[in-house]
């Protein structure tokens, strides 16, 4: 055979070999495609969107700094927190790749050299020393478990090749980061880092990274919480490997090996359990629910409230809500005092529960009345008995104070002045204004807004109250509290003008009862605006307050609505409110005064500026805050005052005696008299009363009928009368309380009798009635006629 024939033969052989190789390659590809079609992969493709859509991740609720609040395991009870490659410490990635798979980014899914080395080591030992698995093969085994047989290993390698075909290297590494076994029901580096080390995987140190990198090799044997010494030996093995490969310096190696293995026993985080349950329901498809809460503050308040509630009966609970005014973000959410205490019904969310708000709506009644120009901060109001159709309000203390200012009525939380202003404003105005601001009062079925709303005759939640009071702190702009991130679009709504909100806030800024003496020196008590409330029957005790930075609400009571006698806002909820403020804002700033708020001196009883009021009509001076320089006159009560002009203009003779057009008097003059409301007369200085201010009738007019009837007054008893009880049956027998005959003369129509603030009965003018004292001590007896005139006396039973 010639040389050319040999060349031709070799060339033909090469061509046939090439064709055979191409054919074999094509067959392999076809087989691979066929196998891929016959045995498709069921492996998640993890990305930013899919993390929030998979049910095989635990749900984690975190605070504003990504600290865990509460975790909810997946449907199989496994703790696995989703984490992206960029969210893991580079130290961990480095330790993992250098120790487990140095050629991860180079091989096609299997590393033949590693497999041969493992086979040789296993043959020499006659045992399993190493599997030679790459990270890709470990991911394949996680989703397709197999026995330690040749067939199982072959299946694992084929699945690894399939993974490399469908996924990028970073996607495969992300799968490992999320699904690697870490001991017990913990999977993935993020869950292991949080459960064992109480930190996210992004914050791992060099030693911690090495510890978690080696943990999947034997998750049960190397658990750092159970076997810290063994875990440390394996960790140091990883660190030495990194040193041998030139990744760590000798100094870095020494420092890392000195670090002890300190791991927590895995526990489910249980901060803000009620809030977290609600947050999870709001974001059911989010693996990590980001909230606005502050975990440190939440923990402090939960610890404080759980200890405090032990001094209350076992059925009682409490709730606290803290909102940042600048952003409306919720910083702490305590739905109950003790989530795990079934006796206190600790799993019921009392932040969202609809309850009677007691007196906590009074500031908004006064604020709306100020906004509409009905009153100012020092308007003359009436704390006297009132009889409404089918409604008889009284004060919490059971007593009456007579004339009070708006600010005094609000600070003392008096009921009758609030009802008076509510009547002038209109219940529907309050209801609709709050609804327009985003807070709707819950009314009984088929009920319409009525006067009882101002005293708690509707339903509101602690969440809604904090929302409303936050509006006072934000110059009248109401925003719904925000508790989840990202924040929803701003839905601010105006309730009051900045000026009216400032005046209401100023009336609420009074000294703290728990430090009255120091407040008078430092003035700090005047920087927290606060209001308490107690619902009917002592069912709910409230305290809500605000500074420029925070609005805080506190509720105490029984979740089942059972009354708690003796527990009311001022003694139960208010101290807690101040304790929370002391932790958050111990030295609050002052609110800036709006330009359209001014100070002025006004006069009672007319309510007008002192500068424009004659001295004889200015009985008392008050320094008031005015909104847009509005000076509304004293509110008129048509049922009591009628519609007579005040001041009253009278004609008098030269002797300053009253005359009219029928009197035979040659010289007449005008006299203006500032009248106090007739139903305030029992509480005012005698010289200001109607009978003393209106001159007597001139003798030359004796044939005329006087313009006024005789004033209403109680007869048969003198003020400060002392009566004594008697004993029945001799020494040691029971006391018999005395009976008194009560009758009133003057006035007009039926008499309505009140004893110690409680309505007792009505009577005719000519019919006395007998009243028996129920207890010794001072008793306040008030009579009111149909025109609203009053008289009162005090008697003492000994």
């Amino acid at each position: 055979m010639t040389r050319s024939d040999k060349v031709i033969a070799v060339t033909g052989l090469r061509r046939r070999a090439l064709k055979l190789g191409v054919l074999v390659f094509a067959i392999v590809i076809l087989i691979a495609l066929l196998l891929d079609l016959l045995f498709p992969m069921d492996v998640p493709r993890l990305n930013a969107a899919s993390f929030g859509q998979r049910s095989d991740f635990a749900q984690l609720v975190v605070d504003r700094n990504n600290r865990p609040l509460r975790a909810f395991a997946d449907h199989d009870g496994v703790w696995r927190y989703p984490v992206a490659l960029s969210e893991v410490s580079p130290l961990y990635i480095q330790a993992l790749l250098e120790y487990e798979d140095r050629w991860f980014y180079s091989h096609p899914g299997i590393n033949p050299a590693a497999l041969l080395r493992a086979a040789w080591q296993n043959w020499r030992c006659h045992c399993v020393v190493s599997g030679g698995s790459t990270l890709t093969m470990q991911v394949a085994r996680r989703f397709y478990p197999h026995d330690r047989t040749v067939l199982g290993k072959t299946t694992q390698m084929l699945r690894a090749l399939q993974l490399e075909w469908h996924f990028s290297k970073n996607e495969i590494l992300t799968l490992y980061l999320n699904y690697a076994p870490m001991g017990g029901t913990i999977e993935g580096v993020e869950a292991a880092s949080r459960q064992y080390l109480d930190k996210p995987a992004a914050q791992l140190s060099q030693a911690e990274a090495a510890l978690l990198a080696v943990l999947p090799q034997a998750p049960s044997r190397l658990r750092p919480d159970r076997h810290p010494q063994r875990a440390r030996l394996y960790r140091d093995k990883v660190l030495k490997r990194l040193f041998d490969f030139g990744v760590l310096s000798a100094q870095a190696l020494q420092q890392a090996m000195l670090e002890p293995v300190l791991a927590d026993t895995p526990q489910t985080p249980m901060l803000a359990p009620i809030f977290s349950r609600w947050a999870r329901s709001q974001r059911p498809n989010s693996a990590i629910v980001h909230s606005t809460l502050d975990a440190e503050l939440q923990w402090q308040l939960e610890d404080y409230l759980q200890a405090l509630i032990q001094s209350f009966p076992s059925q009682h609970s409490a709730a606290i809500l803290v909102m940042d005014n600048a952003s409306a973000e919720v910083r702490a959410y305590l739905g109950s005092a003790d989530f795990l205490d079934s006796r206190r019904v600790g799993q019921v969310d009392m932040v969202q529960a609809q309850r009677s708000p007691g007196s906590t709506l009074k500031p908004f009644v006064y604020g709306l009345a100020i906004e509409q120009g009905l009153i100012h901060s020092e308007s003359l109001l009436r704390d006297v008995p009132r009889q409404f159709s089918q409604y008889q309000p009284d004060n919490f203390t059971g007593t009456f104070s007579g004339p009070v200012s708006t600010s005094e009525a609000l600070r003392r939380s008096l009921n009758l002045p609030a009802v008076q202003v509510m009547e002038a404003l209109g219940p529907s105005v309050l209801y609709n204004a709050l609804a327009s601001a985003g807070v709707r009062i819950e009314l009984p079925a088929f009920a319409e807004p009525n006067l009882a709303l101002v005293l708690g005759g509707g339903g509101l939640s602690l969440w809604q109250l904090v929302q409303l009071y936050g509006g006072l702190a934000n110059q009248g702009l109401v925003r719904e509290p925000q508790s989840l991130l990202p924040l929803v679009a701003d839905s601010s709504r105006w309730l009051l003008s900045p000026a009216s909100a400032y005046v209401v806030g100023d009336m609420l800024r009074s000294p703290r009862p728990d430090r009255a003496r120091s407040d008078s020196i430092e003035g700090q008590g005047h920087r927290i605006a606060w209001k308490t409330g107690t619902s009917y029957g002592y069912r709910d005790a409230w305290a809500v307050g605000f500074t420029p930075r925070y609005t805080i609400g506190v509720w105490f009571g029984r979740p089942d609505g059972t009354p708690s006698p003796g527990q009311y806002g001022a003694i139960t909820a208010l101290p807690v409110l101040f304790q929370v403020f002391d932790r958050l804002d111990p030295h609050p700033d002052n609110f800036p005064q709006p330009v359209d708020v001014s100070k002025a001196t006004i006069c009672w009883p007319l309510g007008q500026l002192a500068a424009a009021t004659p001295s004889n009509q200015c009985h008392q001076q008050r320094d008031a805050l005015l909104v847009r320089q509005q000076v509304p006159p004293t509110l008129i009560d048509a049922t009591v005052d009628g519609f007579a002009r005040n001041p009253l203009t009278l004609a008098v003779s030269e002797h300053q005696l009253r005359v009219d057009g029928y009197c035979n008097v040659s010289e007449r003059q005008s006299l203006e008299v500032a009248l106090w409301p007739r139903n305030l007369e029992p509480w005012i200085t005698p010289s200001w009363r109607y009978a003393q201010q209106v001159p007597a009738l001139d003798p030359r007019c004796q044939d005329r009928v006087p313009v006024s009837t005789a004033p209403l007054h109680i007869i048969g008893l003198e003020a400060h009368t002392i009566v004594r009880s008697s004993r029945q049956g001799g020494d040691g027998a029971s006391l018999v309380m005395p009976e008194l005959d009560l009758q009133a003369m003057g006035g007009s129509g039926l008499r309505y009798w009140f004893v110690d603030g409680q309505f007792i009965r009505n009577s005719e003018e000519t019919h006395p009635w007998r009243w028996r004292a129920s207890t010794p001590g001072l008793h306040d007896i008030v009579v009111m006629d149909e025109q609203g005139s009053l008289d009162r006396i005090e008697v003492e039973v000994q």
Side-chain angles (χ1 to χ4, degrees), residues 591-651:
F591 283 88
Q593 181 173 311
V595 294
D596 49 354
V597 172
S598 58
K599 294 182 179 180
T601 302
I602 60 96
C603 287
W604 281 3
L606 300 180
Q608 298 295 322
L609 290 173
T613 304
S615 59
N616 68 313
Q617 298 174 23
C618 187
H619 300 168
Q620 275 191 17
Q621 291 189 353
R622 297 274 176 153
D623 293 327
L625 288 177
L626 305 180
V627 172
R628 298 181 292 275
Q629 298 184 338
Q630 296 179 111
V631 191
T634 297
L635 278 179
I636 296 296
D637 186 339
T639 60
V640 177
D641 309 324
F643 295 96
R645 181 175 176 269
N646 196 15
L648 176 66
T649 302
L650 302 171

Side-chain angles (χ1 to χ4, degrees), residues 746-757:
S748 174
L750 286 175
R751 280 83 169 98
Y752 300 92
W753 293 88
F754 302 82
V755 177
D756 298 329

Side-chain angles (χ1 to χ4, degrees), residues 195-501:
Q195 293 276 19
Y196 293 128
L197 306 176
D198 194 26
K199 62 171 60 175
Q203 299 176 7
L204 293 173
S205 67
Q206 185 72 67
E208 291 167 339
L211 175 67
L212 297 187
V214 75
L215 183 55
Q217 281 198 352
S220 298
R221 294 181 61 249
L222 299 181
R223 278 186 56 164
D225 61 318
R226 294 181 178 177
H227 312 290
Q229 296 302 323
R230 187 184 303 160
R232 181 170 186 167
L233 289 175
Y234 278 78
R235 179 205 69 179
D236 292 349
K237 180 180 177 181
V238 176
L239 292 172
K240 290 175 182 176
R241 177 79 62 87
L242 295 176
F243 172 73
D244 293 339
F245 290 155
V247 175
L248 290 184
S249 65
Q251 182 179 3
L253 172 65
Q254 183 179 11
Q255 290 178 346
M257 292 181 67
L258 288 175
E259 188 174 316
V261 172
L262 300 175
D264 298 328
T265 299
Q267 293 181 344
T268 304
M270 278 292 287
L271 270 178
I274 288 180
F275 167 80
S276 298
R277 182 183 63 194
W278 173 83
R280 183 192 186 199
S281 71
Q282 300 300 302
R283 303 281 173 84
N285 295 322
S286 296
I288 297 183
V289 181
H290 296 272
S291 76
T292 64
L293 271 61
D294 184 324
E296 181 65 27
L297 174 63
Q298 181 76 25
W299 178 82
Q300 290 180 10
L301 295 184
E302 286 188 10
D303 187 60
Y304 162 70
L305 190 58
Q306 189 172 3
L308 177 67
I309 202 66
Q310 303 308 314
S311 60
F312 290 82
S314 60
Q315 296 83 10
H316 285 67
S317 188
I320 300 174
L321 187 66
V322 178
M323 183 181 76
D324 186 305
N325 293 328
S327 61
E329 294 178 11
V330 174
R331 293 288 179 253
Y333 187 118
L334 285 75
S336 69
D338 190 344
F339 181 75
L340 300 177
D341 192 340
S342 59
R343 297 173 305 167
R344 302 186 186 279
V345 201
Q347 298 192 15
V348 174
D349 187 356
M350 299 311 299
V351 168
Q352 302 293 345
Q354 293 285 318
R355 311 288 286 208
S356 166
S359 298
T360 55
L361 288 183
K362 288 176 181 175
F364 305 98
V365 173
Y366 292 126
L368 290 168
I370 291 172
E371 186 74 16
Q372 294 194 7
L374 296 176
I375 58 174
H376 51 63
S377 68
E378 293 299 315
S379 289
L380 172 61
L381 302 179
R382 315 178 196 189
D383 183 29
V384 299
R386 283 291 310 274
Q387 180 71 42
F388 301 94
S389 58
Q390 299 180 349
Y391 185 48
Q392 177 60 57
D394 57 13
N395 285 324
F396 185 78
T397 60
T399 61
F400 303 101
S401 301
V404 293
S405 67
T406 306
S407 57
E408 182 184 359
L410 180 56
R411 287 170 182 158
R412 294 175 56 192
S413 197
L414 300 174
N415 290 344
L416 275 303
V419 175
Q420 179 195 359
V421 176
M422 181 72 154
E423 185 179 37
L425 178 70
S428 61
V429 173
L430 172 70
Y431 181 86
N432 293 330
L434 297 189
S436 297
V439 175
R440 188 172 296 277
I441 303 174
E442 185 179 84
L443 299 176
F446 309 109
E448 296 292 332
N450 54 59
L451 295 177
L453 286 183
V454 70
L455 304 184
L460 283 179
S461 65
L462 184 61
W463 180 276
Q464 292 172 306
L465 282 177
V466 168
Q467 180 178 348
L468 285 174
Y469 277 79
L472 294 177
N474 283 308
Q475 300 183 316
L477 190 63
V478 176
R479 291 184 291 175
E480 184 172 2
Q482 301 272 346
S483 59
L484 298 178
L485 297 172
L487 301 177
V488 300
D490 187 11
S491 59
S492 305
R493 302 181 185 182
W494 288 103
L495 176 61
L496 299 171
S497 68
S500 298

Side-chain angles (χ1 to χ4, degrees), residues 107-184:
H107 60 64
I110 59 176
N111 188 338
L115 290 172
L116 291 173
R117 184 181 66 250
W120 171 250
Q121 291 175 342
N122 295 342
W123 179 79
R124 290 186 59 187
C125 177
H126 298 289
C127 62
V128 179
V129 176
S130 173
S133 297
T134 63
L135 286 180
T136 309
M137 292 172 65
Q138 293 182 47
V139 172
R141 184 176 181 181
R142 165 60 182 80
F143 291 100
Y144 299 98
H146 61 80
D147 297 329
R148 288 180 174 268
T149 62
V150 174
L151 179 60
K153 199 69 174 180
T154 302
T155 302
Q156 182 185 17
M157 289 189 289
L158 291 174
R159 286 294 190 182
L161 293 172
Q162 193 178 18
L163 272 171
E164 294 279 349
W165 191 346
H166 288 281
F167 292 84
S168 69
K169 288 290 187 181
N170 284 347
E171 288 177 324
I172 295 171
L173 183 55
T174 301
L175 285 169
Y176 181 88
L177 297 178
N178 283 275
Y179 288 92
M182 294 289 185

